[in-house]
């Protein structure tokens, strides 16, 4: 069934401003190329939008804003690493650049990339050039193109399925990589970097025209002059492994093999996405739908058909309504399928049944199936840094240098070192121990293990409140409430963002915090431990200083009425919000100071650096942080001669 080719991408009806910028950019060259040469601290609004396609955001340190003074402009750089792969040479380069040009940290992202912050405009070219010359890229890490392609990070060398997921994550990334020469012209003075050879099938697929999917005589055969209407996100996984949060992606492939482990084809999901805006109901998080099965020979044509559908029919007039999820929602899955069939040139095959999804984090030491080992390392919010007695950056540098180990970044802001010889295990373990880094995942806080927070303040221009900087304290406070109601050792998936864009995917968490005002959060409940369902908003604006009184009744209800083995998120979804509200209204806290009154705890804030020292001391001395602070302050005031009244 070959149908007529649809009209190529043209923009009618009031295109958004960014569409005009793309059109006039000469395939992402201007105004970036010209403004980069100017002796300024920042770019114009137009250049900022085009710069994103090159993998960089203009930011300013919001802690340093002073009324009437120029902002403290700096740039964030994001790398694109399909399946989270980071060769040792690239890791060591990023580590060095973080000192030379950045803020001494590198940060694993929720899509398996690295971000560096704090780079000045005058150093941007040198930083990008070094990344490209050392087996990395930032091209297409941001902007209206396909973003980093995710895949399960575990290096199971004896699993054909996992190897195929890696291979196809790379191939999808190559297929949808921008073809413009702009990137190399601007950052490398036209020198093309040496990169891994593209598979010939991918090369052919980029040119072969299936019913209008390719735009001829265009520098960008798949995207065309206007690129995508908005960002586009893909993942490739294996049946049952939801480490990549499949329901949140625009397009996902699930590897289907036969009994001998030979690739047959892929199940295809599409239409997921999370970004929303508070108080705008027309924006929402959406879970991806099961679309079809596709044979391996046709997979690139199918991807091109889905991309072309979004490219040509996605909303280019309103960027808040431009993601594929809105097209899918407006059309319905059936209409979407039939448009995809037009571009694909044949009927879609029915989706093949899959086993249920499990979230896997692959932390700790493991065997990779070829005699070598891997080590999955938990990194708080993905931030690789040296701080006090925790010298993670130093440890990783030393280990990668000494053993030349490749890395896979995980979708949960962690990393996996792999290809480790068994004889090197002890030396590596010793380096981590010397640097204060815990490698045994059972020895870290289990709430922290399953938690994520986005960067938010001070770098993110869209943050309405804190996220990464406050989550450690918030997890400790949640832990204390759990202990108070008798739920010690309970853990569940907690995710926090500083605004509703959803960068740490809070809408599939069991307990989601979504910044909705200064020091207040919208609270989402009801996701699952395996991220297979969207949560729902329970409270619009919780002032964070009311966290304990808010959570205690909910946890008490959970303890009292949960079913055997039921997780917190599933409990909330099963009993429903009305029942939780009713229980909360009638709840009487059990703990009291002995005379019937609830004990009053006053709250004061401590800065990050002191908090980390305090936390370490509390773990070392096995005393609560409150007790340590109490003793220290008592001592201080005694010395000052101040008595309590
Ligand atoms: Fe994101 C914008 C950070 C994953 C949805 N995201 C931003 C910006 C660039 C802020 C901006 O536009 O000025 C943030 C930079 C903060 C900073 O200071 O570094 C930012 N997003 C991140 C990262 C670094 C969060 C993290 O904790 O790791 C993640 C980078 C991933 C990567 O390597 O590519 C990141 N962002 C996500 C995800 C999760 C995912 O992709 O799996 C989402 C939700 C999924 C989705 O896209 O639907 C996400 N980010 C957004 C949105 C809302 C998009 C929408 O459809 O409405 C924005 C704002 C926008 O695009 O206008 C945004
Ligand atoms: Fe910034 Fe909001 Fe994304 Fe957090 S969720 S990084 S605050 S855009």
């Amino acid at each position: 069934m070959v149908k007529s080719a649809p009209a190529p991408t043209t923009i009618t009806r009031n295109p958004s401003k960014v569409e005009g910028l793309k059109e006039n950019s000469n395939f992402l060259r201007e105004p970036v190329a010209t403004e980069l040469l100017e002796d300024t601290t920042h770019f114009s609004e137009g250049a900022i939008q085009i710069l994103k396609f090159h993998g960089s955001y203009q930011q300013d340190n919001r802690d340093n804003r002073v009324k009437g003074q120029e902002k403290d402009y700096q740039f964030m750089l994001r790398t694109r690493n399909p399946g989270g792969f980071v060769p040792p040479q690239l890791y060591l380069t990023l580590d060095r650049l973080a000192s030379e040009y950045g803020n001494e940290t590198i940060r694993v992202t929720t899509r398996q990339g690295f971000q560096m912050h704090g780079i000045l405009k005058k150093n941007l070219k040198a930083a990008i050039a070094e990344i490209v010359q050392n087996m990395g890229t930032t091209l297409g890490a941001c902007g209206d193109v396909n973003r980093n392609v995710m895949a399960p990070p575990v290096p199971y060398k004896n699993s054909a399925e996992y190897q195929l997921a890696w291979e196809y994550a790379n191939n999808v990334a190559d297929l949808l990589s921008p073809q413009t020469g702009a990137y190399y012209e601007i950052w490398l003075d036209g020198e093309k970097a040496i990169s891994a050879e593209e598979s010939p099938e991918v090369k052919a697929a980029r040119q072969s025209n299936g019913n209008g999917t390719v735009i001829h005589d265009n520098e960008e055969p798949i995207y065309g002059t206007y690129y995508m209407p908005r960002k586009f996100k893909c993942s490739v996984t294996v049946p049952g492994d939801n480490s990549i949060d499949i329901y949140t992606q625009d397009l996902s492939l699930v590897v289907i093999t036969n009994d001998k482990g030979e690739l047959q084809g892929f199940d295809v999901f599409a239409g997921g996405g999370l970004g929303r805006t508070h108080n705008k109901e027309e924006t929402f998080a959406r879970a991806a739908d099961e679309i079809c099965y596709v044979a391996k020979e046709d997979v690139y044509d199918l991807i091109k058909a889905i991309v072309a559908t979004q490219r040509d029919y996605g909303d280019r007039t309103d960027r808040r309504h431009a993601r594929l999820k809105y097209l899918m929602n407006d059309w319905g899955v059936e209409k979407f399928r039939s448009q995809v069939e037009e571009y694909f040139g044949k009927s879609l095959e029915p989706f093949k049944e899959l086993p249920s999804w499990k979230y896997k984090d692959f932390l700790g030491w493991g065997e990779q199936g070829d005699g070598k080992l891997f080590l999955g390392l938990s990194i708080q919010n993905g931030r690789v840094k040296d701080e006090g007695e925790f010298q993670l950056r130093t440890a990783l540098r030393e280990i990668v240098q000494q053993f030349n180990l490749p890395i896979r970044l995980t979708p949960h802001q962690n990393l996996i070192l792999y290809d480790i010889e068994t004889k090197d295990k002890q030396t590596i373990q010793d380096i981590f121990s010397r640097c204060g880094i815990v490698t045994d995942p059972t020895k870290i806080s289990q709430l922290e293990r399953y938690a994520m927070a986005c960067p938010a303040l001070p770098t993110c221009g869209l943050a309405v409140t804190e996220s990464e900087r406050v989550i450690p304290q918030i997890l400790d406070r949640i832990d204390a409430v759990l202990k108070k109601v008798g739920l010690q050792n309970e853990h569940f998936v907690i995710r926090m963002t500083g605004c509703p864009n959803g960068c740490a995917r809070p809408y599939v968490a069991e307990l989601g915090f979504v910044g909705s005002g200064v020091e207040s959060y919208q609270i989402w409940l009801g996701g699952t431990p395996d991220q297979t369902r969207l949560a729902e908003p329970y409270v619009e604006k919780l002032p964070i200083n009311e966290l304990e009184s808010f959570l205690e009744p909910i946890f008490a209800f959970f303890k009292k009425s949960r079913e055997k083995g039921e997780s917190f998120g599933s409990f909330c979804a099963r009993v429903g919000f009305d029942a939780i509200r009713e229980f909360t209204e009638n709840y009487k806290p059990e703990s009291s100071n002995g005379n019937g009154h609830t004990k009053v705890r006053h709250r004061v804030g401590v800065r990050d650096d002191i908090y980390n020292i305090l936390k370490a001391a509390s773990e070392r001395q096995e005393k609560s942080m409150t007790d340590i602070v109490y003793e220290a302050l008592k001592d201080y005031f005694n010395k000052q001669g101040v008595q309590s009244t």
Side-chain angles (χ1 to χ4, degrees):
M1 183 189 56
V2 179
K3 296 190 181 159
S4 61
T9 324
T10 49
I11 300 188
T12 50
R13 286 194 305 128
N14 307 324
S16 72
K17 219 168 92 200
V18 180
E19 295 301 321
L21 292 168
K22 289 185 270 184
E23 181 177 15
N24 295 327
S25 73
N26 185 17
F27 295 96
L28 311 181
R29 288 171 176 87
E30 292 297 347
V32 174
T34 301
E35 290 186 24
L36 187 67
L37 302 175
E38 292 166 4
D39 183 16
T40 51
T41 53
H42 57 285
F43 288 92
S44 67
E45 194 42 51
I48 289 171
Q49 295 304 330
I50 300 302
L51 184 66
K52 292 180 186 176
F53 291 76
H54 296 257
S56 180
Y57 268 73
Q58 180 166 307
Q59 303 183 317
D60 72 284
N61 185 330
R62 293 175 62 180
D63 285 347
N64 296 347
R65 280 187 188 174
V66 180
K67 226 176 173 182
Q69 282 182 21
E70 186 181 281
K71 287 179 180 166
D72 181 5
Y73 288 112
Q74 45 178 257
F75 293 79
M76 173 268 274
L77 265 185
R78 187 184 286 168
T79 62
R80 191 161 54 88
N81 312 82
F85 173 62
V86 179
Q89 180 183 341
L90 177 60
Y91 181 79
L92 295 172
T93 303
L94 294 172
D95 177 67
R96 180 169 50 77
L97 294 177
S99 293
E100 271 176 32
Y101 304 129
N103 68 354
E104 298 285 348
T105 75
I106 39 179
R107 189 174 184 281
V108 185
T109 75
T110 53
R111 289 194 73 77
Q112 302 179 275
F114 263 132
Q115 279 193 179
M116 288 204 302
H117 291 98
I119 300 166
L120 299 180
K121 179 169 174 266
K122 62 177 184 191
N123 296 325
L124 207 48
K125 184 168 174 174
I128 294 181
E130 289 236 27
I131 289 172
V132 180
Q133 282 152 358
N134 288 283
M135 306 173 74
T137 186
T138 63
L139 173 62
C142 320
D144 295 346
V145 286
N146 178 44
R147 300 295 188 85
N148 196 34
V149 182
M150 288 166 66
V154 71
Y156 288 144
K157 296 287 176 71
N158 56 352
S159 156
E161 286 179 329
Y162 277 99
Q163 295 300 313
L164 286 163
W166 282 6
E167 182 185 333
Y168 277 82
N170 272 331
N171 291 352
V172 175
D174 285 346
L175 178 71
L176 301 179
S177 176
Q179 297 299 294
T180 171
Y183 188 70
Y184 301 98
E185 288 165 24
I186 296 175
W187 310 107
L188 288 133
D189 300 322
E191 221 176 279
K192 186 99 171 89
I194 311 144
S195 55
E197 254 316 285
E198 242 177 31
S199 112
E201 289 158 42
V202 169
K203 230 179 231 159
R206 190 177 303 111
Q207 296 302 335
S208 75
N209 196 1
N211 311 302
T213 52
V214 159
I215 300 164
H216 291 297
D217 302 324
N218 194 295
E219 201 167 335
E220 294 286 4
I222 291 185
Y223 292 129
T225 308
Y226 299 94
Y227 292 84
M228 296 298 273
R230 206 58 165 89
K231 55 180 73 168
F232 191 77
K233 298 183 170 180
C234 299
S235 73
V236 184
T237 190
V238 310
D241 186 333
N242 195 27
S243 53
I244 45 76
D245 267 1
I246 197 155
Y247 291 102
T248 69
Q249 313 275 345
D250 289 86
L251 170 60
S252 294
L253 302 177
V254 186
V255 168
I256 306 287
T257 52
N258 63 13
D259 295 344
K260 292 188 211 129
E262 294 159 344
L263 181 64
Q264 302 298 293
F266 302 87
D267 264 348
V268 180
F269 285 77
L274 300 182
R276 40 179 289 284
T277 308
H278 288 308
N279 306 320
K280 286 204 186 303
E281 281 192 7
E282 65 278 19
T283 67
F284 45 81
R286 185 177 192 282
D289 290 285
E290 298 172 354
I291 302 298
C292 62
Y293 168 81
V294 62
K296 64 173 191 236
E297 306 71 47
D298 294 335
V299 66
Y300 302 121
D301 281 344
L302 185 80
I303 292 170
K304 278 162 53 188
I306 292 177
V307 167
T309 301
Q310 161 68 354
R311 178 194 68 197
D312 295 346
Y313 295 96
D315 187 347
R316 290 181 186 261
T317 65
D318 176 2
R319 290 183 67 79
R320 287 217 171 107
H321 185 254
R323 294 288 295 273
L324 175 64
K325 65 179 174 181
Y326 295 115
L327 186 65
M328 189 79 92
N329 186 67
D330 296 347
W331 277 6
V333 179
E334 274 323 306
K335 180 167 174 191
F336 174 79
R337 278 201 191 103
S338 74
Q339 182 56 55
V340 171
E341 280 177 342
E342 287 213 20
Y343 285 112
F344 187 47
K346 49 185 168 184
S347 302
L348 298 180
E349 285 183 54
F351 190 88
K352 289 197 190 303
E353 207 181 313
L354 292 171
S356 56
W357 294 107
K358 287 271 162 279
Y359 163 65
K360 304 179 184 181
D361 68 7
F362 311 109
L363 294 187
W365 286 98
E367 309 222 342
Q368 62 184 42
D370 60 354
K372 293 188 184 170
L373 304 174
F374 69 82
L375 173 62
L377 208 61
S378 172
I379 305 176
Q380 200 174 50
N381 302 314
R383 188 73 71 173
V384 179
K385 61 181 174 185
D386 284 343
E387 193 169 54
E389 58 199 277
F390 304 113
Q391 300 281 304
L392 176 61
R393 205 173 141 215
T394 299
L396 282 173
R397 185 188 313 123
E398 199 174 319
I399 289 165
V400 175
Q401 243 160 17
Q402 194 173 334
F403 300 98
N404 200 33
L405 297 180
I407 289 174
R408 289 271 167 183
L409 307 178
T410 86
H412 291 82
Q413 304 172 322
N414 299 319
L415 66 74
I416 298 177
L417 289 161
Y418 66 104
D419 280 351
I420 302 172
E421 303 283 353
T422 42
K423 67 174 173 44
D424 298 331
K425 179 178 176 183
Q426 195 53 50
T427 317
I428 290 172
Q429 186 58 57
D430 290 345
I431 296 173
F432 279 125
S433 303
R434 195 190 74 224
C435 292
I437 306 304
V438 178
T439 56
D440 179 349
T442 62
K443 299 251 161 64
I444 57 175
S445 146
Q446 295 303 289
L447 285 183
E448 188 184 311
R449 175 173 183 172
Y450 297 103
M452 292 205 287
C454 72
L457 295 167
T459 52
C460 178
L462 305 177
V464 294
T465 192
E466 297 279 357
S467 181
E468 178 181 341
R469 293 198 290 198
V470 297
I471 199 170
Q473 290 98 315
I474 285 173
L475 294 180
D476 286 343
R477 288 168 63 187
I478 295 173
D479 198 36
V481 182
L482 285 170
K483 285 193 179 114
K484 184 175 174 197
V485 301
L487 283 172
Q488 39 273 62
N489 305 325
E490 187 65 41
H491 64 83
F492 39 84
V493 178
I494 301 173
R495 294 179 177 179
M496 173 178 263
T497 56
C499 87
N501 282 319
C503 298
R505 300 188 289 271
Y507 305 120
V508 283
E510 298 185 84
L511 173 57
F513 291 83
V514 176
S516 57
V518 179
E519 295 188 15
S520 50
Y521 297 83
Q522 190 182 47
I523 302 295
W524 288 63
L525 298 175
T528 65
D530 301 306
Q531 287 87 64
T532 47
R533 179 177 56 215
L534 288 178
E536 299 271 346
Y538 177 69
V539 160
E540 288 304 318
K541 223 174 187 172
L542 176 77
I544 202 63
N545 59 7
E546 292 172 15
L547 182 70
E548 285 80 358
S549 56
F550 167 77
L551 284 179
E552 186 177 322
I554 305 178
F555 288 164
F557 187 24
F558 172 48
K559 185 179 176 219
K560 179 169 167 275
S561 305
R562 77 193 292 186
E563 286 175 355
K564 194 159 182 281
E566 192 173 39
S567 71
F568 177 63
S570 301
F571 165 80
C572 292
R574 178 177 60 79
V575 298
F577 288 177
D578 287 347
I580 298 175
R581 285 198 179 97
E582 197 186 322
F583 188 91
T584 298
E585 275 160 26
N586 299 316
Y587 177 71
K588 303 238 175 341
E590 273 169 27
S591 127
S592 71
N593 60 5
N595 53 15
H597 300 296
T598 308
K599 210 192 287 174
V600 178
R601 278 266 180 103
H602 302 286
R603 189 165 296 287
V604 289
V606 289
R607 297 215 186 107
D608 267 9
D609 49 346
I610 295 295
Y611 177 81
N612 289 329
I613 296 170
L614 185 59
K615 192 171 178 196
S618 148
E619 277 161 12
R620 228 183 11 252
Q621 297 173 26
E622 294 184 1
K623 265 189 201 165
S624 76
M625 287 194 265
T626 308
D627 286 345
I628 295 176
V629 171
Y630 177 77
E631 283 162 23
L633 287 179
K634 207 167 148 203
D635 192 40
Y636 172 80
F637 287 122
N638 276 343
K639 282 189 186 136
Q640 306 255 320
V642 182
Q643 302 296 319
S644 68
T645 48

